[in-house]
Amino acid sequence: MNTAAALRLKTAGLWLAIASALTVGAALVLQYGYGYAPCKLCLTERLPYYAAIPLGLLALFLPERLARIALGLAALGLLYGAGIGVYHAGAEWGFWPGPADCGGGTGTNPGQVGDFLNALQTTKVVDCSVAALRLFGISLAGWSALVSAVLASFAGTAALRP
């Protein structure tokens, strides 16, 4: 058993879990604290982070070989998330069309016309092809793609490094 490698894997797992939790936490603060409603792709981009948190924590407690597998799985999931983020950011910039079913969801059917009109007053439709917020010229989807790619690289390197 290589103690230095095991410690490196545990440290990587901890940092991966912390960074993923901070990223999801920031998204939730924007959603619930500042009222930025997420679209369908925004919610899909969060899934790899949700998976990376327990996988990173598992790397803390698993034997070296299984910790490498956990970090490798997290890297693959985050790489998928980076791809979704690139797709989403490209749709926001108009490079390609976004998903056809994003932004036009109808929800449950109201029982009466009055209920429907009341629901329209409080319902906010979020379009995947419109950036809700840009920081330094990059949309939140672009930042998600960047963060996912960096964390995927970090987890993958930790998993593959001898």
Side-chain angles (χ1 to χ4, degrees), residues 106-120 123:
T106 58
T108 59
N109 292 329
Q112 298 179 348
V113 173
D115 294 337
F116 175 71
L117 293 175
N118 289 335
L120 283 179
T123 301

Side-chain angles (χ1 to χ4, degrees), residues 41-117:
L41 287 176
C42 294
L43 296 173
T44 303
E45 288 171 40
R46 294 180 192 178
L47 296 177
Y49 297 110
Y50 291 137
I53 294 168
L55 287 170
L57 293 175
L58 277 173
L60 286 171
F61 302 106
L62 292 174
E64 183 179 339
R65 180 174 170 83
L66 293 176
R68 288 183 189 279
I69 292 171
L71 289 174
L73 288 173
L76 290 174
L78 288 162
L79 195 59
Y80 165 78
I84 295 293
V86 167
Y87 170 68
H88 190 183
E92 290 174 343
W93 283 103
F95 295 148
W96 44 74
D101 62 344
C102 193
T106 58
T108 59
N109 292 329
Q112 298 179 348
V113 173
D115 294 337
F116 175 71
L117 293 175

Side-chain angles (χ1 to χ4, degrees), residues 8 11 72 88 130:
R8 193 170 46 248
T11 303
H88 190 183
V130 177

Side-chain angles (χ1 to χ4, degrees), residues 13 31 34 44 66 82 97 100 107 118-119 134 142 148 157 160:
Q31 179 179 348
Y34 294 101
T44 303
L66 293 176
N118 289 335
R134 294 188 190 274
S148 289
T157 301
L160 295 174

